[in-house]
Amino acid sequence: MQRWPVLLFLAWVCFLFFAGIGLFTSGFLLTRIELASRSSCSDPLLPPPWERQNLPTGSCWAPQRFPKAVLVIIDALRFEFARFNPTKATPLPYENKLSFLHHLVTSQPRHARLYRFRADPPTATMQRIKGLTTGSLPTFIDVGSNFATYAIQEDNLLAQLAQNGRRVVFMGDDTWEGLFPKNFFRSYFFPSFNVKDLHTVDDGILQHLYPTVDSGEWDVLIAHFLGVDHCGHKHGPDHPEMAKKLTQMNEMLRSLVDHLGNDTLLLVAGDHGMTETGDHGGDSEKEVNAALFVYSKTPLFGTGPPEKPEAVPQVNLVPTVALLLGVPIPYSNIGEVMAELFSGDGDAVSAALQQLSVYHINAKQVDRFLHSYSLVAQDLPAEQLQHLQELFSSAVEEHIRLLAQVQGATLVPPELESRLGTLIGRFQLYLREARAVCTQSWARFRPLRMMGGCTLIAASCLLCYMASELAAALDSFYRSCLLYPLLWGVVVAVLLGLAHVFTQEGLDLLLVSSWAAAASQVGFFWHWWGQYPKRARSVGSQPPLASIGLRQRLRAWLGLAFPMGILLFRCGAMFSDSFVVAEARVAPFLLASLVTLLVGKLHWDGRLTVPEGPKQQFLGFSSYRREIWYLLCFVATLLVCVRLSGFFHQCREEIPHCRPSLFLSPLASLRNTRAKNLFYLLCVALLAGLAYAVRSWLRHYGNLNSSDPLVLFVRWGFPLVVLCIACYWAVASSAEDSLGKLQELVQVAVVAFPWAVYGLASVGLLLLLCNPMTVFAKDTRESAGSIVTPSLGVPSSEVDFLHVIPQIYRRMQESQKSRLERGSYKATVAAYGLGSVYSAALVIALTLLGFLLMLLHSERLSLAFLLLFLEAFMLLHIHTRARGLAGDAEPFSVPWYAVISWLLAASQFFYSTGHQPIFPAIHWNAAFVGFHLDHSTNLLPAVLVGANTFASHILFAVGCPLLLLWPFVCEIPSSQKRKPKKEPQEELQEVEEHMMEMRLRESPEKFSNALLQLGLKYLFVLGMQLLACVCAAMILRRHLMVWKVFAPKFLFESLGFVVSSICLLLGISLVMRVDCAVSTWFSQLQLRGGQTSCWASVGSGRSLLQELKMQES
């Protein structure tokens, strides 16, 4: 077998796709340009009434109203959490808990006010912190770095405070440490990523909050509480723990107000809201609807609060706080000041003049930013910028005229109030339209990169299809077809590198990789066009279509049209946002349709009936083959699995009246102890049943008879892994109920048991890699002649083995014939498990991976994983039975319907393990399975969360080679039945036919080609799905739902492709590692045979020869 060329060819094809994904992503998901400019007190932005007078000490641009401010951020404080409804007799756990806010608003209406605080999506914590400090709009791609924060280089509120000598003290979420390094006078950071930890951050803040306030050594104090957010992630908002946490926040605010002075401004804000499941990250109403509460012991407002709370965009907080504290507004701010906070204690006219002045400053600052931004970027439409400039100029001119008339006392109060109100409205209109223009235009695309990435992906799909056809028609084509593309790619990469050296420009590795990938593709197509057309036509197109009838041609075409039609339908539907939203229900339907069409095609081709004979019975049922009933049973079981998998669904907020599956929540969330215990026992029973089924299958095919370390691990390690997972589920589901010293033991066990599973699974995978053979050979020491190599020595190369193995087979046949003639059936060699050695290694690997992935999910999702394994088992048997009924003459080629159905099942179980291609549906809890404290690096949590998210992709990609191996494993019925006694020669002929997986070793080149063709088909189907998502995102980039539906779908599909392709390479590598071990086993057999002259034969299948007794137990 040619191992390395196959792996290198597949790795090269994966690189082509990766280059296309990277190039497209760099053109599609771009952040807006961040300006390096910063505001300062010397900027000429003062409005007319203040430009000719000196401002008070410590003030910039506007008189300072407050020397001190306290900003309390309660993460995920949804507006409904802060609103108080006294008419509600039985409030929900999250309602009416912040009663102190309601008390301040009603008792001091001019001192306190509650707002709806509208967050801009994405509603992830890091993006909201950026919006709350810069006054700008973080773009979509920033959500990817939510837990790998980078320092904010753009001008921001904290930088302005530090620049103007204000002492900023921070305590709470350590996300701020990465965003604002060295900006704090004093700081108390606490780990924030562990969403299961409700108290560490909050308790740490409370320990320092009141002493810091009383010390007075601060000008601005920021406290970022996380308990409410973590409670939502862990339990959801409708849970008693949420009531406890909100009550704690209420008492904290009550105590804090008592410690505040009269010159201090208090701001209580939520950075975002949360869904009914406690998630956030998207743009649903409950996610963007946060709360803002403003309070001061001195009067703030000129009038009482409105009947309904006013909605305020979050970016409006930045210019408001900056001017209230007397510091410049950050340069890139596009927010609008909350003018009612600048009314003062005077009459209505003086309040309006004060508000007009701050609006003037705000408008000048925004106009300056838009002018600077338009000089370095062209993503803001010129006509809209011109319209905004006209609005700004007219409002400023009107303000100057109005002030001149006020100073000349030519206006009476009623007329003055009316004109002031009109002018304020014009400034408001300008600021709001400016923000709307930026919001609409800051999806800054690079069409050339997007087109290049799309072209690379499309060409890679074409290459996969052509190469898969060549692999079926030509032997070892990949060795010559790989050399020239690699040379072309390397030459182009070197030339680009030299060009960058001579031009002394920065080297863009992404562009270099993309050009190298494109050059290698051109090299492949050029070499194929110049070298292989004649040979391909002579080999691949030898049977002329004219020699077969129209019905046969139509059948052959339909064999490809049905699976490809379903694939193209799925790809075309990616352009519909409704399809993407409902894909969790469509993918199972397409899988069931494909399997049903397969059975229908077999019936139409007449493969399900036996030829009619003279004694055929009158009833039609007698004409059907016996195998059809097995096939129908497998199909029925598959359809039941598909139906049951729909119970493990996650909801999208676009689907009204949808309720997420109860199986997604952990057992710890169940309040009914009896129900919790029953579910726990069921989950453990299913887990043990999976381990038992795998061991039974391995024992059935004779792979558990040796005493090798891997076999011993399967015997004893599998039950130990199951025990550790069961113990972890037990302690994790009761961790909240334990008390005292038992709590400490539970905390240790919650970490220890997952690490035990990680360790055992790692040992098992390491043993599988070192010695994947699960074969036991028994020698009865009957003499036989020696077997020699062409050089008359010990076999030392693959050529020697190819010469030796046919001699071994021939010797076995001769020995069998002689024993049949003598009536002796005494075995020379009894080999156990050789006929399923490849599949056994894959099954063991998949079981270990399944255990690890189940550990990363909630307990009740083990039911979904059991359905996953059962459905995969059914697909393999349907594929095997269908090939047997169709009389497939190409045993080394996996048909397209099998590959497409395999990938449809992978997509189906992505949804059936509680996932959706949206950020709020990510299971962040997986990052802390086995970890009690925060991670020191972002790599490990990213791997754990990624494994949780793409569990189905991992399992189906690693198990993909089973599509090739399974028909050989099931070459004969798995249960031996009594048959009439046959003549010795007939028995020998029948026994020789069943070699199982060892038939693959008869033709090493075909085996290599078959693995390559299977990998290319798998990558083709994955690539087509990716290409559809890429084209949809590119064509619909100005669609209303692009950032809500198409962009997340593209990101998840891209990551799924990367994970699937890597796991596919690992699965094929494992098969090749087993093949290498089999070759070593044969070489050891030959060495032992040369030493003792007693090894005359070796098993090559479960029932290769009667002499070998390929025993199954």
Side-chain angles (χ1 to χ4, degrees):
M1 171 187 279
Q2 297 294 327
R3 302 184 186 98
W4 286 110
V6 171
L7 286 177
L8 286 176
F9 196 95
L10 291 175
W12 169 64
V13 173
C14 291
F15 165 74
L16 300 180
F17 279 106
F18 294 167
I21 293 172
L23 187 60
F24 180 85
T25 302
S26 68
F28 180 65
L29 298 178
L30 288 177
T31 58
R32 60 177 176 81
I33 294 178
E34 293 185 352
L35 302 183
S37 305
R38 293 182 179 272
S39 300
S40 68
C41 288
S42 59
D43 293 341
L45 296 181
L46 293 178
W50 295 330
E51 63 185 358
R52 291 183 297 272
Q53 57 181 313
N54 294 326
L55 294 174
T57 304
S59 299
C60 285
W61 296 8
Q64 179 190 69
R65 274 204 82 181
F66 294 96
K68 291 179 178 290
V70 176
L71 173 60
V72 176
I73 298 178
I74 301 177
D75 208 290
L77 182 67
R78 206 168 80 189
F79 179 75
E80 287 76 12
F81 297 177
R83 181 176 56 184
F84 190 88
N85 185 1
T87 61
K88 206 151 194 179
T90 56
L92 296 173
Y94 60 82
E95 293 179 329
N96 292 358
K97 296 301 181 294
L98 297 180
S99 57
F100 183 65
L101 302 185
H102 176 71
H103 167 72
L104 291 178
V105 171
T106 54
S107 62
Q108 305 178 53
R110 295 188 59 195
H111 296 251
R113 187 160 297 181
L114 181 65
Y115 296 90
R116 290 183 182 270
F117 208 31
R118 303 286 296 182
D120 295 295
T123 52
T125 295
M126 191 199 74
Q127 283 66 38
R128 294 297 85 237
I129 293 175
K130 286 185 176 181
L132 288 170
T133 55
T134 64
S136 190
L137 303 177
T139 49
F140 182 85
I141 190 58
D142 288 339
V143 77
S145 57
N146 189 44
F147 299 104
T149 59
Y150 302 98
I152 294 179
Q153 304 297 329
E154 203 170 17
D155 195 11
N156 59 82
L157 185 58
L158 270 70
Q160 287 295 333
L161 290 169
Q163 179 180 316
N164 289 276
R166 308 301 171 84
R167 297 167 297 177
V168 181
V169 176
F170 178 84
M171 51 189 70
D173 185 352
D174 62 354
T175 303
W176 293 70
E177 182 180 14
L179 293 174
F180 306 102
K182 302 179 181 179
N183 276 347
F184 299 113
F185 176 74
R186 188 180 298 116
S187 56
Y188 306 95
F189 297 113
F190 302 97
S192 61
F193 190 57
N194 189 354
V195 294
K196 294 184 178 181
D197 184 0
L198 309 186
H199 307 295
T200 298
V201 177
D202 293 1
D203 293 346
I205 295 174
L206 294 175
Q207 182 182 354
H208 299 283
L209 179 60
Y210 307 123
T212 303
V213 172
D214 294 338
S215 70
E217 297 179 356
W218 55 277
D219 296 306
V220 175
L221 190 151
I222 303 174
H224 190 157
F225 291 87
L226 287 177
V228 172
D229 178 67
H230 287 187
C231 184
H233 284 297
K234 186 175 182 180
H235 302 291
D238 192 9
H239 194 277
E241 286 295 327
M242 182 62 77
K244 295 179 183 178
K245 185 52 65 175
L246 290 174
T247 302
Q248 182 190 28
M249 294 296 99
N250 188 63
E251 295 306 316
M252 177 271 297
L253 293 173
R254 188 188 304 275
S255 300
L256 179 60
V257 168
D258 293 338
H259 287 76
L260 295 181
N262 294 332
D263 60 348
T264 303
L265 174 68
L266 173 63
L267 300 162
V268 182
D271 57 343
H272 52 75
M274 67 172 65
T275 64
E276 290 301 325
T277 59
D279 298 313
H280 59 88
D283 62 351
S284 67
E285 183 65 23
K286 293 182 178 180
E287 290 173 277
V288 302
N289 204 18
L292 171 66
F293 178 77
V294 183
Y295 173 76
S296 173
K297 291 187 176 180
T298 58
L300 272 174
F301 306 98
T303 60
E307 293 184 5
K308 292 185 177 181
E310 182 183 353
V312 176
Q314 282 191 354
V315 291
N316 290 9
L317 186 66
V318 172
T320 304
V321 173
L323 294 182
L324 285 174
L325 296 178
V327 298
I329 300 174
Y331 195 92
S332 301
N333 165 75
I334 59 170
E336 172 191 341
V337 291
M338 299 165 62
E340 62 270 21
L341 294 175
F342 297 87
S343 299
D345 298 328
D347 57 11
V349 173
S350 61
L353 287 172
Q354 189 83 358
Q355 294 176 11
L356 196 56
S357 297
V358 295
Y359 269 125
H360 191 128
I361 297 172
N362 193 186
K364 274 191 173 182
Q365 172 265 319
V366 172
D367 176 71
R368 179 185 64 174
F369 166 70
L370 292 178
H371 176 71
S372 301
Y373 190 85
S374 63
L375 295 178
V376 298
Q378 281 70 46
D379 48 4
L380 297 178
E383 62 277 6
Q384 294 187 3
L385 286 175
Q386 180 65 30
H387 172 66
L388 290 174
Q389 182 62 39
E390 294 173 357
L391 282 178
F392 171 73
S393 301
S394 63
V396 169
E397 293 172 1
E398 176 65 21
H399 188 201
I400 296 174
R401 287 196 301 267
L402 183 60
L403 288 176
Q405 293 176 359
V406 168
Q407 292 175 357
T410 59
L411 293 175
V412 296
E415 182 183 358
L416 178 59
E417 289 184 24
S418 174
R419 290 188 60 184
L420 286 172
T422 302
L423 186 54
I424 288 175
R426 293 173 67 177
F427 275 116
Q428 289 176 338
L429 177 63
Y430 166 75
L431 291 169
R432 291 171 187 177
E433 288 197 7
R435 180 173 177 270
V437 168
C438 293
T439 303
Q440 295 171 2
S441 304
W442 270 343
R444 183 173 169 269
F445 303 109
R446 294 187 185 180
L448 288 179
R449 290 199 174 202
M450 294 167 63
M451 286 293 297
C454 187
T455 303
L456 273 178
I457 295 173
S460 301
C461 291
L462 178 61
L463 187 150
C464 284
Y465 183 82
M466 292 174 57
S468 68
E469 295 300 314
L470 287 175
L474 305 174
D475 291 338
S476 303
F477 85 97
Y478 44 83
R479 280 178 284 185
S480 57
C481 275
L482 180 62
L483 178 61
Y484 289 97
L486 288 180
L487 289 177
W488 283 48
V490 170
V491 168
V492 169
V494 171
L495 291 177
L496 289 175
L498 292 175
H500 281 284
V501 169
F502 286 114
T503 58
Q504 295 183 349
E505 295 181 357
L507 186 64
D508 190 338
L509 293 179
L510 182 60
L511 282 179
V512 172
S513 301
S514 301
W515 279 110
S520 63
Q521 287 179 336
V522 173
F524 174 86
F525 290 121
W526 183 274
H527 183 68
W528 170 81
W529 181 262
Q531 298 294 327
Y532 283 98
K534 295 181 180 179
R535 186 177 176 186
R537 283 195 294 268
S538 63
V539 177
S541 306
Q542 189 66 31
L545 291 177
S547 63
I548 60 176
L550 177 63
R551 183 179 178 87
Q552 286 77 12
R553 269 187 277 174
L554 186 60
R555 286 175 178 173
W557 180 82
L558 287 178
L560 184 63
F562 279 142
M564 285 297 182
I566 286 182
L567 175 63
L568 293 177
F569 171 80
R570 184 166 190 259
C571 294
M574 294 293 182
F575 291 81
S576 167
D577 59 328
S578 300
F579 172 85
V580 176
V581 169
E583 192 179 10
R585 291 176 289 175
V586 177
F589 169 76
L590 292 179
L591 174 61
S593 300
L594 179 57
V595 174
T596 305
L597 287 172
L598 171 64
V599 177
K601 182 180 181 303
L602 289 173
H603 180 72
W604 188 56
D605 291 343
R607 301 293 185 178
L608 304 183
T609 57
V610 296
E612 296 183 2
K615 297 182 179 180
Q616 183 181 10
Q617 298 180 6
F618 177 77
L619 295 176
F621 286 105
S622 61
S623 63
Y624 282 97
R625 297 176 182 264
R626 184 178 58 182
E627 292 84 354
I628 180 60
W629 306 114
Y630 293 106
L631 177 63
L632 292 180
C633 289
F634 292 141
V635 171
T637 306
L638 174 73
L639 296 179
V640 171
C641 291
V642 169
R643 183 64 178 172
L644 292 178
S645 66
F647 289 105
F648 304 90
H649 66 281
Q650 178 66 277
C651 288
R652 296 180 63 123
E653 62 96 10
E654 297 93 340
I655 303 178
H657 311 300
C658 177
R659 291 292 179 268
S661 172
L662 298 175
F663 295 97
L664 302 183
S665 57
L667 288 179
S669 63
L670 289 178
R671 305 176 192 176
N672 189 321
T673 305
R674 183 177 181 183
K676 180 190 294 187
N677 293 336
L678 288 176
F679 270 117
Y680 172 77
L681 293 175
L682 177 61
C683 294
V684 172
L686 292 175
L687 186 65
L690 175 62
Y692 176 78
V694 171
R695 289 183 58 186
S696 299
W697 186 89
L698 293 171
R699 186 182 300 109
H700 176 74
Y701 283 99
N703 296 103
L704 289 184
N705 292 302
S706 72
S707 58
D708 291 337
L710 179 61
V711 175
L712 294 177
F713 180 84
V714 173
R715 290 178 183 173
W716 305 108
F718 276 18
L720 193 56
V721 172
V722 171
L723 179 62
C724 291
I725 296 177
C727 292
Y728 169 71
W729 286 348
V731 295
S733 61
S734 59
E736 298 293 332
D737 303 328
S738 54
L739 300 173
K741 293 184 178 181
L742 185 60
Q743 176 72 25
E744 298 178 1
L745 293 176
V746 167
Q747 294 300 326
V748 172
V750 165
V751 175
F753 284 121
W755 273 102
V757 176
Y758 296 151
L760 287 170
S762 300
V763 169
L765 293 174
L766 186 61
L767 292 174
L768 184 63
L769 181 64
C770 294
N771 183 16
M773 290 286 289
T774 53
V775 176
F776 174 66
K778 184 178 179 182
D779 183 8
T780 59
R781 301 218 172 251
E782 180 167 331
S783 177
S786 61
I787 296 175
V788 299
T789 64
S791 58
L792 303 178
V794 177
S796 59
S797 66
E798 187 168 352
V799 175
D800 290 344
F801 290 135
L802 293 178
H803 184 79
V804 165
I805 293 173
Q807 296 183 56
I808 296 176
Y809 290 157
R810 198 174 303 113
R811 184 64 51 77
M812 290 187 294
Q813 295 172 6
E814 293 173 358
S815 177
Q816 174 68 7
K817 289 178 181 178
S818 64
R819 281 163 177 73
L820 289 174
E821 292 172 357
R822 297 195 307 265
S824 171
Y825 294 93
K826 184 178 180 181
T828 301
V829 176
Y832 300 79
L834 190 60
S836 57
V837 63
Y838 297 101
S839 299
L842 280 172
V843 168
I844 293 172
L846 288 172
T847 306
L848 290 173
L849 290 174
F851 287 149
L852 287 173
L853 295 172
M854 278 189 276
L855 182 70
L856 298 177
H857 288 74
S858 63
E859 300 90 342
R860 287 183 285 181
L861 281 178
S862 59
L863 307 174
F865 277 93
L866 181 69
L867 290 175
L868 183 152
F869 282 105
L870 181 59
E871 185 170 314
F873 186 73
M874 292 299 107
L875 281 174
L876 291 172
H877 275 287
I878 291 172
H879 162 52
T880 300
R881 294 286 177 175
R883 292 193 64 170
L885 290 170
D888 199 341
E890 294 290 339
F892 288 88
S893 178
V894 179
W896 282 103
Y897 72 81
V899 179
I900 295 175
S901 62
W902 195 253
L903 274 163
L904 283 174
S907 298
Q908 170 206 344
F909 277 100
F910 170 77
Y911 296 100
S912 295
T913 49
H915 298 99
Q916 284 280 354
I918 51 176
F919 293 105
I922 295 177
H923 300 175
W924 299 111
N925 292 342
F928 290 92
V929 176
F931 298 89
H932 180 60
L933 300 177
D934 199 16
H935 291 279
S936 58
T937 175
N938 292 311
L939 178 61
L940 186 57
V943 170
L944 294 175
V945 173
N948 173 283
T949 304
F950 299 105
S952 63
H953 296 72
I954 294 171
L955 292 174
F956 279 94
V958 172
C960 178
L962 289 174
L963 293 173
L964 172 65
L965 302 173
W966 207 260
F968 293 95
V969 176
C970 302
E971 195 172 39
I972 60 173
S974 57
S975 59
Q976 301 292 333
K977 297 185 178 180
R978 289 182 173 270
K979 296 180 180 180
K981 187 172 181 179
K982 301 179 181 180
E983 294 297 325
Q985 295 299 327
E986 294 179 3
E987 184 174 346
L988 173 64
Q989 182 179 1
E990 178 181 330
V991 170
E992 287 180 353
E993 290 176 356
H994 302 296
M995 298 170 62
M996 297 174 68
E997 289 181 347
M998 285 300 103
R999 192 180 296 277
L1000 294 165
R1001 292 189 57 85
E1002 288 186 327
S1003 305
E1005 287 296 334
K1006 287 187 177 181
F1007 192 10
S1008 301
N1009 282 3
L1011 284 174
L1012 176 62
Q1013 185 189 34
L1014 176 60
L1016 290 171
K1017 286 183 176 181
Y1018 201 85
L1019 290 175
F1020 170 79
V1021 179
L1022 282 173
M1024 288 296 293
Q1025 295 174 174
L1026 175 65
L1027 179 63
C1029 292
V1030 165
C1031 292
M1034 180 178 66
I1035 296 172
L1036 304 173
R1037 61 184 181 274
R1038 295 296 180 186
H1039 191 278
L1040 177 65
M1041 306 295 287
V1042 62
W1043 302 118
K1044 190 178 183 67
V1045 175
F1046 296 111
K1049 177 62 178 174
F1050 158 70
L1051 283 180
F1052 276 82
E1053 197 71 34
S1054 300
L1055 292 174
F1057 179 91
V1058 172
V1059 172
S1060 297
S1061 57
I1062 293 175
C1063 292
L1064 174 67
L1065 291 176
L1066 293 177
I1068 293 178
S1069 299
L1070 179 59
V1071 174
M1072 293 182 173
R1073 175 68 187 91
V1074 177
D1075 187 74
C1076 182
V1078 172
S1079 298
T1080 304
W1081 191 85
F1082 274 114
S1083 67
Q1084 293 174 352
L1085 169 68
Q1086 173 60 21
L1087 288 174
R1088 295 172 67 179
Q1091 293 169 0
T1092 64
S1093 299
C1094 67
W1095 285 89
S1097 59
V1098 66
S1100 59
R1102 195 188 67 191
S1103 299
L1104 175 61
L1105 292 173
Q1106 183 67 30
E1107 166 195 7
L1108 294 176
K1109 298 192 302 183
M1110 282 300 178
Q1111 301 182 19
E1112 302 172 20
S1113 60

